Amino acid sequence: MKKILVVDDEPDIRRLYSSELKDEGYNVRLASDGEEAEEIVNSEDVDLVVLDIKMQRKDGLSTLTQLKRIRKDLRVVLNSAYPTFKSDFQSWLADFYVVKSSNLDELKKRINQLLKYDKG
Amino acid sequence: MEAFEDILRNAPIGVLISDQEGKICFSNESLNQIFARETNQKLTGLNLCDLEWVKNSGLQNKLRELTQNVQPFPNVPIRFENKEFNLSFEATPIIDDDRGFRGIICFIEDISERVQLRQNLKEKSRELSIINEVSQALSTTMKTDEILEMILIGVTAGQGLGFNRAFLLLLDEKGDHLAGKMAIGTSDPKEAGRIWEELSKDRSTLKQVLQSYGKSAKQKDTEVRRIVENLKISMEDDESILVRSVKKRCSINSEQNLSNQSDEYLIELLGTKKFAVVPLVSKDNAIGVIIADNFITSKPIKDEEIQLLQIFASQASIAIENSGLYNRLTRQVKELERANNALAQNTKRMIMIEKFSAIGQITSRIAHQLRNPMTIIGGFAKSLLKKAKPNNLHHNSLEIIAAQIERMEKILNRLLDFTPKPRMEFKEVDLNLTIEQSLNMVESELAQEKIVLIKDLKKDLDSLQIDAEQLQVSLVNIFRNSIQAMPSGGELRVATWLEGEKAMIEIKDKGAGIEEKHLKSIFDPFYTTREDADGLGLTIASEIIRNHNGQIWAKSQKKEGTSIYIKLPTRRGEVQ
């Protein structure tokens, strides 16, 4: 079972994503900030990270850079309420950029796409 | 009677009395002085009509006819013992009541000086009027070429100084050579007569000649133009009459002032040894010389004419200087205008960006704050909806919640359209200009690292569709990389050219170079050899180039430096 790490400082978002992604058949890990995420990626075998950008503590983009430093092949989907970070060059390190929406179809589609590709 | 004679003897004007036969019976001291005769030499006894100066001035017959009326001859030019002078001559018949005509009394005055003065005055006023006309004409133009032409016309026109030919030589920029620039006049006597006749026809003033010259005479000046084109004198040739005139800032009449060796070439070209040279001096700096001659008429050149020529030359110098100032001023005004326009445009853009970014900041803050709760509410509503059976009481309510949340999200998305778009915006942009602007952004870094910038930007690049801002980011990243490769100074070369249907950019540093095996990795994220760098600069740069459908690659040689090449499609390439 593929393991997805959801990084978001909003507990209800974590709860929602956790429930939805579990329904999709993934193993879900949760982190409330960048540092926690780095620890998990360092110690566990994570296949994909869903990463929020604006967070109370360490922000998503520098976390992204850090995570890629730890594991160059790590799949990352940025998930932000802001579409504007797409123009930030650091965001290009991510595989996809999905703007937050109550409709999770897009997010799920991108995750499936990345993990299916990895399987193949 | 004796007292009367005394008065005549001592009169300040010459007095001469003859009898009815014309025999001189009295002459006074003043008369002797006019003719510089010695006091003791007597005219008495001689016949008035036999006097040499009376004979050759034609007064003879007039005096013979004189019987009744006073005859004044206000200005009689005479020649006496090879001397020329002017006399005022007044002859009065002496008539006796009883015996009638008894003789003639003449009052004679030497007015040579007065005539000369009058002549000078006339000459001076002519000069003044020429200068006045030329300077008036000069004030109508600020173009250096026109000014120079007018000066030369003034020198040669009959209404002006009336020289046959005039040549203008100017110092080149380095001050090494005097080179022929312009010439007027003709070397063919028939032509000369015809041209000036044509020009003077119905045109009495120099001004009119100045105005009409261009039309009628220009094409006839081929010979003088050939001469002037071949005139080039080194300023190191101190013997040359032209160099002497420029260096000493003085006019020179060529007669007895030529150097056998140095001026040989000049004499041969001009075809005469008689000419005048005057320097053109502007603000203490010599700028050239005018040569004027009378090639056709061979009329000797008088010092007065050279003086007048000098006045012309100073007029020319002032006009040239004014025109220089005017041109510089015009150029500066234009530059200022350009800068002003650029500033106005930038300000407008800045205001736009400010405005939009202010709206963007507020809306995206709201969006962030609202999106999360909406994602949560809507997300859970949909999650529940999936699990609820369609006939469940709450199914409909959940559907409404999910739909309304989606509606709110749509409203937010529309609002967010105001925020700066992350999409690329391709516009037709001058690639070289984008490069210049990017170079401006690293100007201080170049200066700080003592790096010499060499630009070789070809003008004929085809039109390109570029997101200028993004490309700037790309270029600045590459420039910074190159600058950092040269910590102890060096040379940054930026070149553009067209290669087939692609525009090429080369950015070349003279740093330590990169080993072949590392060359492929330099565009990879986090690849860096430096502690302080994040290794993303070239990654970003290459990502932008790829978004432009372009290619980027590097070539390097150890110790020689590294070149980054960028290939961008041009408009022409796209169409095909």
Side-chain angles (χ1 to χ4, degrees):
Chain A
M1 199 186 281
K2 295 278 178 185
K3 193 191 270 185
I4 297 176
L5 172 63
V6 174
V7 189
D8 204 305
D9 61 346
E10 182 84 42
D12 287 338
I13 290 278
R14 294 201 295 271
R15 212 166 288 154
L16 174 67
Y17 284 12
S18 169
S19 135
E20 284 291 302
L21 293 175
K22 275 177 186 161
D23 283 355
E24 293 287 313
Y26 295 114
N27 187 357
V28 181
R29 281 285 269 135
L30 299 173
S32 59
D33 62 54
E35 275 166 28
E36 207 183 324
E38 282 166 34
E39 270 171 40
I40 293 170
V41 169
N42 251 330
S43 57
E44 294 179 30
D45 200 8
V46 175
D47 295 296
L48 185 144
V49 180
V50 175
L51 186 59
D52 184 23
I53 292 176
K54 274 245 165 177
M55 289 186 287
Q56 299 293 325
R57 288 173 67 191
K58 191 169 184 174
D59 80 278
L61 289 180
S62 49
T63 304
L64 170 64
T65 308
Q66 210 53 47
L67 292 180
K68 278 278 184 181
R69 240 181 242 268
I70 299 166
R71 267 187 49 201
K72 227 172 175 176
D73 62 337
L74 184 67
R75 298 297 186 185
V76 179
V77 177
L78 283 172
N79 186 235
S80 173
Y82 288 78
T84 48
F85 289 112
K86 274 184 198 168
S87 60
D88 193 304
F89 299 106
Q90 276 179 291
S91 76
W92 293 355
L93 290 171
D95 297 281
F96 288 111
Y97 191 113
V98 178
V99 178
K100 275 185 185 167
S101 161
S102 65
N103 188 338
L104 299 181
D105 290 351
E106 164 90 1
L107 182 66
K108 289 178 195 164
K109 193 176 111 194
R110 294 303 183 197
I111 292 170
N112 289 337
Q113 194 181 334
L114 288 171
L115 294 181
K116 202 188 289 169
Y117 174 79
D118 277 359
K119 246 182 263 173
Chain B
M1 192 62 201
E2 249 175 54
F4 186 57
E5 216 176 292
D6 253 8
I7 293 171
L8 289 181
R9 188 163 287 121
N10 296 316
I13 59 169
V15 181
L16 193 71
I17 302 172
S18 78
D19 63 12
Q20 64 263 53
E21 303 300 327
K23 211 169 85 186
I24 297 168
C25 51
F26 175 86
S27 72
N28 72 353
E29 176 60 26
S30 296
L31 185 72
N32 280 339
Q33 275 172 9
I34 293 172
F35 295 101
R37 282 177 176 276
E38 298 196 14
T39 322
N40 52 16
Q41 202 171 351
K42 290 270 164 44
L43 292 168
T44 28
L46 295 171
N47 195 299
L48 180 61
C49 294
D50 290 340
L51 291 176
E52 189 194 334
W53 54 270
V54 175
K55 264 194 222 163
N56 65 28
S57 63
L59 282 169
Q60 211 173 353
N61 297 330
K62 287 181 179 130
L63 289 175
R64 283 208 182 99
E65 286 159 17
L66 186 84
T67 46
Q68 282 191 344
N69 295 320
V70 179
Q71 279 283 342
F73 303 97
N75 184 4
V76 185
I78 62 161
R79 250 185 105 76
F80 178 71
E81 287 181 351
N82 286 329
K83 247 178 79 189
E84 276 176 19
F85 46 102
N86 299 66
L87 293 183
S88 154
F89 190 97
E90 195 180 300
T92 309
I94 305 168
I95 294 163
D96 197 312
D97 286 347
D98 315 327
R99 285 172 283 181
F101 179 70
R102 294 291 309 277
I104 301 171
I105 177 163
C106 306
F107 298 100
I108 300 151
E109 211 179 338
D110 181 359
I111 55 161
S112 303
E113 218 166 290
R114 235 182 292 162
V115 169
Q116 190 59 44
L117 280 175
R118 216 178 296 146
Q119 191 72 29
N120 285 355
L121 199 66
K122 235 166 102 184
E123 196 67 30
K124 284 283 172 229
S125 69
R126 188 179 82 100
E127 289 172 11
L128 274 176
S129 86
I130 295 169
I131 290 163
N132 191 30
E133 282 188 44
V134 171
S135 59
Q136 268 179 8
L138 287 175
S139 66
T140 60
T141 178
M142 279 297 173
K143 290 182 188 142
T144 314
D145 280 4
E146 278 179 24
I147 289 167
L148 296 173
E149 191 166 74
M150 277 185 190
I151 295 296
L152 293 189
I153 295 167
V155 172
T156 49
Q159 293 87 337
L161 297 188
F163 281 98
N164 291 164
R165 304 186 301 185
F167 304 88
L168 175 89
L169 293 90
L170 291 181
L171 263 177
D172 61 11
E173 268 175 34
K174 287 184 202 154
D176 292 344
H177 287 91
L178 275 169
K181 168 101 178 142
M182 205 179 270
I184 276 179
T186 171
S187 307
D188 177 358
K190 280 182 205 153
E191 269 301 303
R194 212 182 54 69
I195 290 170
W196 289 121
E197 198 182 333
E198 221 170 78
L199 280 174
S200 338
K201 222 183 275 167
D202 306 324
R203 294 184 199 100
S204 48
T205 70
L206 179 60
K207 195 171 161 193
Q208 287 161 324
V209 174
L210 289 176
Q211 282 164 353
S212 59
Y213 174 83
K215 289 165 212 152
S216 54
K218 230 176 212 168
Q219 63 270 32
K220 312 275 168 35
D221 296 343
T222 45
E223 175 63 13
V224 283
R225 222 171 292 159
R226 184 191 67 79
I227 295 173
V228 85
E229 274 163 16
N230 284 305
L231 276 174
K232 192 171 181 187
I233 312 286
S234 164
M235 280 301 285
E236 281 173 17
D237 188 355
D238 285 329
E239 293 294 306
S240 157
I241 187 168
L242 305 183
V243 176
R244 274 181 283 151
S245 171
V246 168
K247 286 198 173 159
K248 291 183 183 153
R249 315 253 157 95
C250 67
S251 313
I252 305 178
N253 192 334
S254 71
E255 274 181 86
Q256 283 133 30
N257 268 313
L258 287 167
S259 148
N260 283 338
Q261 275 189 335
S262 293
D263 294 326
E264 201 178 355
Y265 174 67
L266 180 65
I267 294 163
E268 197 192 314
L269 257 184
L270 294 176
T272 176
K273 283 187 176 183
K274 291 180 182 170
F275 50 89
V277 181
V278 294
L280 288 169
V281 179
S282 164
K283 264 216 177 139
D284 292 340
N285 292 319
I287 54 174
V289 286
I290 293 176
I291 304 174
D293 69 12
N294 288 326
F295 182 71
I296 296 154
T297 58
S298 302
K299 205 177 91 185
I301 299 168
K302 288 190 219 144
D303 286 345
E304 300 93 79
E305 287 171 328
I306 295 184
Q307 273 167 25
L308 200 48
L309 194 56
Q310 183 61 63
I311 297 172
F312 257 77
S314 38
Q315 285 286 327
S317 305
I318 293 167
I320 290 166
E321 184 157 328
N322 284 346
S323 105
L325 284 176
Y326 176 82
N327 289 339
R328 212 172 312 148
L329 210 64
T330 321
R331 214 168 33 240
Q332 279 170 352
V333 166
K334 271 191 193 144
E335 267 168 32
L336 217 59
E337 264 173 18
R338 228 183 351 255
N340 232 338
N341 282 344
L343 197 68
Q345 249 169 11
N346 267 344
T347 314
K348 227 162 112 186
R349 230 176 100 205
M350 288 281 281
I351 291 171
M352 288 270 283
I353 291 170
E354 286 271 303
K355 211 161 94 187
F356 281 123
S357 75
I359 296 173
Q361 273 167 18
I362 295 164
T363 47
S364 62
R365 202 158 53 232
I366 296 169
H368 183 65
Q369 283 163 358
L370 290 182
R371 246 194 231 279
N372 270 344
M374 284 193 299
T375 304
I376 294 160
I377 297 167
F380 276 115
K382 280 176 187 156
S383 184
L384 282 174
L385 205 51
K386 273 192 291 186
K387 286 157 195 167
K389 288 172 183 142
N391 55 357
N392 185 298
L393 270 177
H394 303 301
H395 191 274
N396 198 25
S397 309
L398 287 168
E399 255 180 6
I400 291 168
I401 293 170
Q404 288 303 317
I405 289 289
E406 273 189 25
R407 189 175 150 208
M408 283 169 79
E409 284 178 327
K410 269 182 197 157
I411 294 167
L412 269 192
N413 287 343
R414 267 211 301 281
L415 253 176
L416 285 168
D417 280 346
F418 279 107
T419 58
K421 290 187 182 72
R423 274 181 281 131
M424 309 273 283
E425 279 187 23
F426 290 94
K427 274 190 201 151
E428 200 165 315
V429 174
D430 180 351
L431 179 63
N432 288 337
L433 185 70
T434 308
I435 290 174
E436 296 272 12
Q437 284 165 346
S438 313
L439 282 168
N440 284 344
M441 292 169 78
V442 295
E443 203 173 42
S444 59
E445 288 155 68
L446 285 169
Q448 204 181 334
E449 301 295 332
K450 297 196 173 57
I451 291 167
V452 182
L453 176 65
I454 295 169
K455 284 185 286 188
D456 181 14
L457 308 178
K458 295 279 168 349
K459 287 222 159 63
D460 56 350
L461 303 172
D462 280 0
S463 70
L464 288 143
Q465 291 282 314
I466 298 174
D467 183 322
E469 270 174 44
Q470 300 250 329
L471 193 66
Q472 253 183 44
V473 172
S474 172
L475 290 168
V476 166
N477 270 306
I478 298 171
F479 293 155
R480 291 224 164 99
N481 211 71
S482 303
I483 292 168
Q484 282 157 2
M486 296 181 281
S488 46
E491 186 185 290
L492 179 69
R493 203 182 105 89
V494 182
T496 56
W497 67 93
L498 194 65
E499 203 173 282
E501 283 154 358
K502 311 270 178 171
M504 290 291 306
I505 309 173
E506 182 194 28
I507 297 144
K508 184 177 188 172
D509 67 51
K510 286 204 166 168
I514 301 164
E515 273 180 55
E516 183 73 36
K517 57 178 176 179
H518 295 311
L519 208 54
K520 275 180 191 158
S521 320
I522 62 167
F523 297 111
D524 292 348
F526 311 117
Y527 175 82
T528 179
T529 51
R530 284 184 308 273
E531 292 280 315
D532 55 335
D534 58 8
L536 284 174
L538 290 181
T539 314
I540 290 165
S542 67
E543 192 67 32
I544 292 173
I545 299 303
R546 266 193 284 279
N547 286 342
H548 277 84
N549 290 324
Q551 288 161 276
I552 185 166
W553 68 95
K555 277 186 186 168
S556 185
Q557 198 138 25
K558 249 333 203 187
K559 287 178 187 165
E560 296 275 310
T562 307
S563 291
I564 304 279
Y565 294 94
I566 296 169
K567 195 184 254 188
L568 291 170
T570 62
R571 201 65 191 275
R572 193 155 46 135
E574 259 169 43
V575 173
Q576 292 171 354

